[in-house]
């Protein structure tokens, strides 16, 4: 159902470096590399994640209540995503742990303040 997700950035170079390293943990590579938009994926038939400078050329802002969830294979990968995001300058929004007795999740904000969730089923 979802083809791709885009979050805004005010510094595409810094955001691209952040996501190049972070999304490599999932085996994702750049699928689109345009001047104002970069997208990553690991399967041409699966959804992609992208960053972009706003089309209207106004500053990118964070959507209140918006979040992008990135699937992990297991709790170890959730931990790795979280650790890497913080190492790259992201900020914590919730350390890794079990949520609702069914999910293992962690929450961070990227360099532009966009909220990310890394999750898998709890074991």
């Amino acid at each position: 159902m979802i083809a791709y997700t885009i979050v805004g950035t005010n510094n595409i170079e810094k955001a691209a470096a952040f996501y190049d390293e972070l999304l490599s943990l999932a085996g994702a590579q750049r699928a689109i590399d345009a001047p104002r938009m970069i997208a990553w994926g690991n399967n041409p038939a699966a959804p992609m994640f992208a960053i972009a400078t706003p089309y209207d050329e106004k500053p990118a802002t964070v959507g209140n209540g918006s979040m992008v969830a990135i699937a992990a294979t297991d709790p170890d990968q959730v931990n790795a995503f979280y650790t890497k995001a913080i190492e790259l300058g992201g900020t914590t929004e919730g350390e890794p742990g079990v949520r609702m007795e069914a999910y293992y999740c962690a929450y961070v904000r990227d360099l532009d303040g966009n909220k990310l969730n890394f999750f898998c089923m709890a074991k």
Side-chain angles (χ1 to χ4, degrees):
M1 184 169 98
I2 296 172
Y4 56 88
T5 300
I6 299 175
V7 296
T9 182
N10 291 304
N11 188 324
I12 200 153
E13 293 83 17
K14 284 179 77 172
F18 178 90
Y19 283 109
D20 278 340
E21 283 200 50
L22 184 65
L23 298 177
S24 73
L25 297 176
Q29 298 177 359
R30 289 188 187 193
I32 298 171
D33 197 347
R36 59 170 293 275
M37 185 178 90
I38 299 170
W40 292 262
N42 55 12
N43 177 341
M48 291 187 294
F49 176 84
I51 57 171
T53 56
Y55 183 75
D56 65 6
E57 299 182 357
K58 294 179 182 174
T61 59
V62 177
N64 186 23
S66 298
M67 179 176 69
V68 175
I70 297 173
T73 56
D74 55 36
D76 288 338
Q77 191 175 40
V78 169
N79 295 340
F81 275 129
Y82 177 82
T83 299
K84 180 58 79 175
I86 299 302
E87 180 183 298
L88 294 169
T91 57
T92 187
E93 283 283 315
E95 294 184 358
V98 176
R99 308 290 198 286
M100 298 187 293
E101 300 180 26
Y103 306 101
Y104 188 84
C105 304
Y107 300 87
V108 300
R109 297 258 178 196
D110 71 6
L111 303 178
D112 288 286
N114 297 298
K115 191 171 184 179
L116 305 173
N117 167 284
F118 311 116
F119 81 101
C120 67
M121 299 305 293
K123 294 185 180 193

